[in-house]
Amino acid sequence: MITKPLFAISSSAKPETVTVTFEDSPLKVPAGISVAAALLASGAGAFRSSVVGQAPRAPYCMMGVCFECLVEIDGIPARQGCAIPVREGMKIRRQQGAVELADLSFGDKS
């Protein structure tokens, strides 16, 4: 759900923009800002749901400490939106609950 944004990017600066997709909706955002800043300025509320209880969560610290900004970027889950700059064509989705660990490799055990 997109709501009225609590954060705004100055329109007087006229920055270069890129187009990203959030939950299948295109968003035109300033180039070089973080995924989290772009989503907040576009009115995205919750970025993920908690592992226990599926409660909606949104960015808190915006500096990579709290992990509340986890999103799926280009099919890769559990990315910190506050630490990743936007780029043209990026596909972003909400992180729903826990990430599956079954496909992760932990090295050769032989």
Side-chain angles (χ1 to χ4, degrees), residues 26-89:
L27 302 174
K28 191 172 282 281
V29 299
I33 66 173
S34 71
V35 168
L39 295 180
L40 287 171
S42 298
F47 283 30
R48 69 179 191 93
S49 62
S50 63
V51 175
V52 177
Q54 303 301 310
R57 308 301 292 177
Y60 181 70
C61 74
M62 295 295 285
M63 62 182 188
V65 177
C66 72
F67 293 88
E68 295 295 344
C69 63
L70 294 179
V71 290
E72 179 183 301
I73 298 175
D74 295 330
I76 302 170
R79 304 293 309 270
Q80 283 182 279
C82 70
I84 299 172
V86 294
R87 62 175 164 60
E88 185 66 37

Side-chain angles (χ1 to χ4, degrees), residues 20-23 35 39 71-73 90-94:
V20 300
T21 303
F22 179 60
E23 296 290 319
V35 168
L39 295 180
V71 290
E72 179 183 301
I73 298 175
M90 186 178 264
K91 291 180 178 29
I92 308 160
R93 300 195 68 73
R94 287 184 171 88

